[in-house]
Amino acid sequence: FFPFGVNIDSFEKVRLVVTEKPEEFKPIKKPIIGYIGGIHKWIDQNLVKSVCLGLPDFAFVFIGPIQTDISLLSGIKNIFFLGSKEHGELPSFVKFFSAAIIPYIISEYTKNVYPTKLNEYLAMGKPVVSTNLPEIVFFNQKHNNLVYTAPTSEEFISGINTALKQDNGSLEEKRINAARENSWRNRIEQMSIAIEQA
């Protein structure tokens, strides 16, 4: 099984070189808790609402196309929906996240989902807080609990606070190394080895 990888070079380039915030981020105060990807029915909006209300001094930024009704989240002052961006623009946004989130509902569908954004977040060295998706649990077993997991809104809030308090250069390097391990280059190499062995 080969899950989604990450184009590590494009993220690495931005992480090392870009210093200018995207225009849309300039009026948004840190800490910025970010999400990239479709705003779809698998996002746990009740969880997101509780977390945003529980952390009123944090900005929650969602970058991606809106694909479902988000009226539950309307009127919450610290949520920002910035719409779709070109894939090549994403690293410049993730660079200025304080932490990143994967707030998916646990369902029969998401039990089989490997979030593509996981390695994109990690490639930028960002701490990640996620619900207990089986693929995240498996990832943590392999990578020494690198992702903060939280089954409830209270634990999600605690996970975000802990992620920001614990963040340091050593953890950032571990995240980047995990993303490198999960790069498309490595995925293709692993596929090639399997083909050669067969």
Side-chain angles (χ1 to χ4, degrees):
F1 171 62
F2 296 99
F4 286 108
V6 59
N7 183 351
I8 195 77
D9 295 335
S10 62
F11 282 82
E12 200 108 284
K13 186 176 176 183
V14 171
R15 182 172 55 78
L16 296 171
V17 175
V18 172
T19 56
E20 187 72 14
K21 274 185 182 181
E23 280 299 318
E24 291 127 305
F25 268 19
K26 289 181 179 175
I28 300 174
K29 292 180 181 177
K30 294 188 91 170
I32 295 173
I33 310 304
Y35 169 91
I36 56 173
I39 321 304
H40 45 60
K41 65 180 181 179
W42 306 116
I43 288 179
D44 189 338
Q45 292 191 39
N46 287 306
L47 171 76
V48 171
K49 182 176 181 177
S50 295
V51 171
C52 291
L53 295 176
L55 294 170
D57 296 326
F58 289 43
F60 289 82
V61 173
F62 287 78
I63 298 168
I66 294 173
Q67 301 164 333
T68 191
D69 176 18
I70 56 167
S71 55
L72 185 67
L73 304 177
S74 63
I76 300 175
K77 293 178 181 176
N78 58 331
I79 298 184
F80 302 85
F81 292 99
L82 301 187
S84 297
K85 305 296 173 193
E86 294 295 325
H87 193 266
E89 296 178 85
L90 295 180
S92 297
F93 285 93
V94 178
K95 174 156 187 172
F96 294 96
F97 288 176
S98 306
I101 55 172
I102 305 172
Y104 287 1
I105 291 167
I106 305 298
S107 69
E108 285 307 309
Y109 174 77
T110 61
K111 282 178 183 176
N112 299 292
V113 163
Y114 184 99
T116 55
K117 59 192 64 61
L118 171 62
N119 290 303
E120 295 176 338
Y121 295 153
L122 296 175
M124 298 304 287
K126 300 302 171 181
V128 181
V129 184
S130 174
T131 49
N132 281 348
L133 298 168
E135 283 294 342
I136 297 290
V137 172
F138 180 72
F139 182 94
N140 269 344
Q141 289 168 356
K142 190 175 179 185
H143 294 284
N144 198 26
N145 294 316
L146 206 51
V147 177
Y148 299 87
T149 55
T152 67
S153 57
E154 291 81 8
E155 287 168 288
F156 216 94
I157 289 169
S158 175
I160 290 171
N161 282 320
T162 301
L164 297 186
K165 283 176 190 167
Q166 290 183 345
D167 201 21
N168 58 51
S170 172
L171 278 173
E172 183 178 342
E173 192 59 35
K174 286 178 182 176
R175 295 179 199 123
I176 293 164
N177 285 335
R180 286 180 182 141
E181 196 177 314
N182 292 297
S183 69
W184 279 120
R185 190 183 301 118
N186 273 2
R187 290 278 190 269
I188 299 301
E189 184 60 30
Q190 291 160 358
M191 291 176 189
S192 299
I193 289 168
I195 290 166
E196 285 167 11
Q197 287 174 345

